[in-house]
Amino acid sequence: MTSHIRGKLISMLSLPLILAGLVSIAPAANADDSTQTLPNVAGTDEYAKPIEQPEFQSVPSKYKKDIPVQILGINDLHGGLSTTGDVGIGQKTYKGAGTAARLATYLDQAQEQFKEVANSNNTFRVEAGDMVGAAPANSSLLAHESTMHALKEMRFQIGTLGNHEFDRGLPEFNRILNGNPPTAQTNANQLVKDYPHYSTDMQLVVANVVRQDNGQIPFGYKPYTIKTIKAGNEKAKIGFIGVDTSTLPSLTLYDNYKDYKVLDEAQTIAKYDTILNKKGVKAVVVLAHTGVATSPQGQTTGPVVDILNKLNSIDPDNHVGLYVAGHSHQYANAKIGNTHVVQAVYTGKAYDDVWSYVSPKSGKFVTVAPHVYPVLSQQDDPTTSPNPNVAAVVKDADDRVGPQVNQVIGKAAKPETITGRLHNNKTMENAAGELVVDGQLYEANKHNVPADFAMTNTGGVRADLEVNSNGDITWGSATAVQPFGNILQVVKMTGKQIEQALNQQYDQNQQYYLQIAGLKYTYTDSGDSNQPFKVVSMTKDDGTKISPDGTYNVVINDFLHGGGDDFTAFKDTPIQGSIGTDTDTFVQYIKDMTAAGTPVQAPQLNRKVYQGH
């Protein structure tokens, strides 16, 4: 999305986003009634380390003649070089998990274990999209090249695109992937110009993103790659297909996706599985930026389930043995039909370690054993040290951005964190989000661009507002909350359009919702399973009723103005003026409140009121 981060150096997002209502586990948009329903069996992840995993202690005798293959995977790193937080895996929650340097060490340990036990070098390090974007300042201020350098040090070989690779336009992501220096069109600042530029040496595979003008995959990316695996004198082939989410148009700015078309995931996988089959590849891994979640109760749901059901209706004899998922930032380990599915949460707090065996005679997976493990904190695992090469990349990035990040811009009324979207109340309000829209409404009127209300997609409010022990708020803390630099526009809307926008929060399982300022509303049950709640009444802060036929000025970002997050009510509404970027506006609001002698404080969460029957 361009609902995204450029923010903070340390902890940002720590719990699965389903807790915040940000991630859909509803059926995929391209599912249809003709698809079958495959058996859906949850996997188990009881151990904190691969070394503790009983099935990773030796090669079972029945697989001695097969070729062992290891897949080490991550997804949704989001430039989380230093990010830590709690991570839920299976029935357990691990505290303070994460950091890229510790992730690197655990990947090395897992690969070494596989090499020793299986006597094999058939290890592939893969990622499933959103390497960059929505990231802390030690990535974003360096145009995310520091993240790409860390991935290079971690020896990732194959990756695919997520929606955030489009945040600054796909040409810019391609630039940092290949390590090219910024061009005049990049509009790079001195920090970016001075940063070293070199290739990540990662192969991008993406099969379902094609150019609108010629139907070709952009930048010479390939839809798949084929790797040869060996064991003694035996050989076989394994294929990797990459796909991005077909919901991309609702997740980024129009200018960033307008040149591309995203094809149906299941149909694309079926197409290239058939092509790989004809090339003698009978063992296929899909790297897909599409969401899935396995609950602690063992239920696995989400678009991936629907995609695999559809794939097996189209191509019942497909050879997809492993599906490495991303996008929904949740834990998953399941077997859907004959395909194992894993997702390692997000921001480097976990990783996939999958051991499989391929028959040299048939070329097919004989068995696949997938597991997800946490990146344990130093406190939980003091004997494991951060990878020094990755740690050096992170320290260098911290040193470069430190002066700007640590600049004090204002004060808070209390030396307490103002919590964001991981701490929503029951009506899906959070203090940091409402502080953001309060600031947008204030700054619009200050700049003589009259506005009645302000609304923002909560996906653009990416972190808690961290406050120092003396009440200081730094630039880095503020920009962690509101990082994207989206343009804020004041648009004219009718009361009826405003009501429509508010109602659109309640479809798709509240996957997308708004933070609001200047108005309050009540809502109640609708009796419609597709949109279970509806707005009953709307008023201004002073209690004045909002008329359906009245016209009002509303501050929104350009992402919403393009219909982002499926808020079509905002799309193409008449623009009355612009007040700059969301990032600068939030920083300025904190400065203004401090200068006025009214340090910022957490708003009361009372703007959305549920009215029961």
Side-chain angles (χ1 to χ4, degrees):
M1 306 179 191
T2 297
S3 352
H4 334 316
I5 319 187
R6 271 196 237 353
K8 190 106 170 128
L9 289 176
I10 311 175
S11 67
M12 296 176 59
L13 310 176
S14 59
L15 294 175
L17 288 186
I18 191 63
L19 299 179
L22 287 177
V23 175
S24 172
I25 55 173
N30 59 12
D32 60 54
D33 294 338
S34 66
T35 58
Q36 59 184 299
T37 300
L38 298 170
N40 183 327
V41 180
T44 57
D45 284 306
E46 305 172 27
Y47 302 98
K49 291 184 173 184
I51 197 70
E52 301 168 356
Q53 192 73 46
E55 61 194 311
F56 289 177
Q57 303 303 313
S58 62
V59 175
S61 58
K62 59 183 174 180
Y63 304 134
K64 292 287 187 181
K65 295 182 179 180
D66 298 313
I67 304 174
V69 182
Q70 181 186 41
I71 308 295
L72 294 173
I74 63 169
N75 56 276
D76 298 274
L77 181 59
H78 286 295
L81 299 177
S82 309
T83 303
T84 59
D86 298 349
V87 62
I89 297 175
Q91 301 287 335
K92 298 184 179 180
T93 298
Y94 301 90
K95 300 289 186 180
T99 78
R102 292 187 68 80
L103 168 63
T105 298
Y106 284 113
L107 293 174
D108 289 343
Q109 290 178 351
Q111 183 165 346
E112 185 62 28
Q113 178 187 358
F114 177 75
K115 183 177 180 180
E116 290 180 1
V117 172
N119 189 28
S120 174
N121 291 313
N122 297 321
T123 294
F124 300 96
R125 299 191 181 195
V126 304
E127 72 77 39
D130 278 6
M131 294 170 266
V132 299
N138 56 356
S139 180
S140 62
L141 286 180
L142 298 170
H144 303 296
E145 292 190 69
S146 52
T147 293
M148 304 311 290
H149 290 189
L151 288 167
K152 180 182 177 69
E153 293 295 339
M154 285 190 268
R155 306 196 309 279
F156 277 90
Q157 299 148 282
I158 310 168
T160 195
L161 295 174
N163 51 290
H164 281 282
E165 273 72 44
F166 291 80
D167 280 356
R168 300 184 182 188
L170 195 55
E172 168 64 1
F173 173 73
N174 190 63
R175 179 189 74 78
I176 66 172
L177 175 71
N178 293 309
N180 298 322
T183 64
Q185 289 74 28
T186 306
N187 194 28
N189 61 25
Q190 201 59 45
L191 273 175
V192 175
K193 291 177 181 177
D194 291 344
Y195 195 72
H197 312 291
Y198 53 80
S199 175
T200 307
D201 294 334
M202 183 190 300
Q203 183 176 5
L204 248 290
V205 288
V206 57
N208 68 330
V209 177
V210 298
R211 290 191 57 85
Q212 290 275 12
D213 55 3
N214 60 16
Q216 299 298 305
I217 299 171
F219 297 107
Y221 303 147
K222 303 300 182 184
Y224 61 82
T225 186
I226 300 172
K227 301 295 183 183
T228 299
I229 52 175
K230 302 176 181 178
N233 295 322
E234 302 286 2
K235 293 182 181 180
K237 296 177 181 179
I238 184 170
F240 295 85
I241 300 170
V243 296
D244 201 352
T245 173
S246 61
T247 63
L248 177 67
S250 69
L251 300 172
T252 192
L253 292 173
Y254 173 74
D255 282 348
N256 293 340
Y257 76 80
K258 64 181 174 59
D259 294 333
Y260 309 102
K261 181 163 52 177
V262 187
L263 308 176
D264 180 272
E265 300 98 335
Q267 292 175 357
T268 301
I269 295 167
K271 171 183 175 180
Y272 287 104
D273 175 74
T274 300
I275 290 173
L276 287 169
N277 186 27
K278 291 178 179 178
K279 291 178 176 287
V281 181
K282 312 291 185 181
V284 176
V285 177
V286 171
L287 311 178
H289 196 69
T290 55
V292 68
T294 300
S295 73
Q297 294 75 36
Q299 298 172 325
T300 300
T301 54
V304 169
V305 177
D306 301 301
I307 290 167
L308 287 174
N309 282 328
K310 184 172 181 178
L311 169 65
N312 281 271
S313 293
I314 298 169
D315 182 15
D317 297 322
N318 73 80
H319 298 92
V320 179
L322 177 65
Y323 193 113
V324 181
H327 187 49
S328 64
H329 296 192
Q330 294 160 284
Y331 160 75
N333 184 353
K335 188 177 183 183
I336 313 297
N338 293 319
T339 302
H340 291 271
V341 176
V342 287
Q343 184 176 218
V345 199
Y346 72 135
T347 58
K349 300 188 186 81
Y351 61 98
D352 310 309
D353 186 359
V354 183
W355 288 30
S356 61
Y357 297 89
V358 175
S359 166
K361 293 182 179 179
S362 68
K364 297 179 180 180
F365 284 117
V366 178
T367 190
V368 178
H371 291 285
V372 181
Y373 300 100
V375 175
L376 295 169
S377 67
Q378 188 75 32
Q379 182 176 351
D380 283 351
D381 185 13
T383 62
T384 296
S385 300
N387 179 288
N389 293 337
V390 176
V393 170
V394 177
K395 183 180 185 304
D396 175 66
D398 289 346
D399 291 345
R400 290 173 186 267
V401 304
Q404 183 168 344
V405 168
N406 297 320
Q407 177 187 357
V408 175
I409 61 168
K411 285 280 188 179
K414 298 179 181 179
E416 299 173 357
T417 294
I418 298 176
T419 55
R421 64 184 188 173
L422 298 183
H423 303 275
N424 287 320
N425 67 358
K426 291 182 179 179
T427 60
M428 306 306 281
E429 298 174 77
N430 64 75
E434 293 193 345
L435 189 66
V436 162
V437 284
D438 284 347
Q440 293 175 359
L441 186 57
Y442 176 89
E443 294 296 325
N445 286 295
K446 171 189 162 186
H447 285 90
N448 296 317
V449 186
D452 300 291
F453 315 124
M455 302 186 194
T456 194
N457 52 308
T458 201
V461 183
R462 298 300 294 207
D464 297 343
L465 179 63
E466 301 284 351
V467 178
N468 292 345
S469 59
N470 63 355
D472 284 349
I473 300 172
T474 64
W475 180 92
S477 178
T479 56
V481 176
Q482 186 78 149
F484 296 112
N486 288 337
I487 302 300
L488 293 177
Q489 299 165 333
V490 178
V491 300
K492 182 177 288 186
M493 299 180 72
T494 65
K496 185 176 181 180
Q497 287 175 313
I498 292 169
E499 181 180 358
Q500 181 187 2
L502 296 175
N503 278 329
Q504 285 176 344
Q505 297 175 101
Y506 301 113
D507 55 19
Q508 302 184 51
N509 295 328
Q510 292 191 67
Q511 174 182 4
Y512 305 120
Y513 53 99
L514 301 167
Q515 302 299 297
I516 59 174
L519 75 157
K520 297 181 179 180
Y521 71 91
T522 60
Y523 67 101
T524 191
D525 304 290
S526 69
D528 180 353
S529 60
N530 294 319
Q531 187 172 297
F533 303 105
K534 63 180 179 180
V535 172
V536 175
S537 64
M538 306 179 295
T539 67
K540 294 184 177 182
D541 278 345
D542 63 6
T544 304
K545 185 176 179 180
I546 296 173
S547 167
D549 298 324
T551 57
Y552 306 89
N553 286 347
V554 185
V555 185
I556 60 173
N557 59 43
D558 52 352
F559 174 68
L560 282 177
H561 192 243
D565 283 355
D566 292 328
F567 282 105
T568 58
F570 295 119
K571 191 172 177 64
D572 300 328
T573 46
I575 296 174
Q576 307 301 297
S578 176
I579 62 170
T581 69
D582 52 8
T583 308
D584 292 343
T585 296
F586 190 51
V587 168
Q588 189 59 48
Y589 178 64
I590 294 170
K591 291 180 178 179
D592 287 346
M593 292 298 99
T594 303
T598 54
V600 300
Q601 57 185 327
Q604 290 188 357
L605 306 183
N606 60 0
R607 301 175 188 184
K608 305 177 183 181
V609 178
Y610 172 68
Q611 178 179 295
H613 291 300

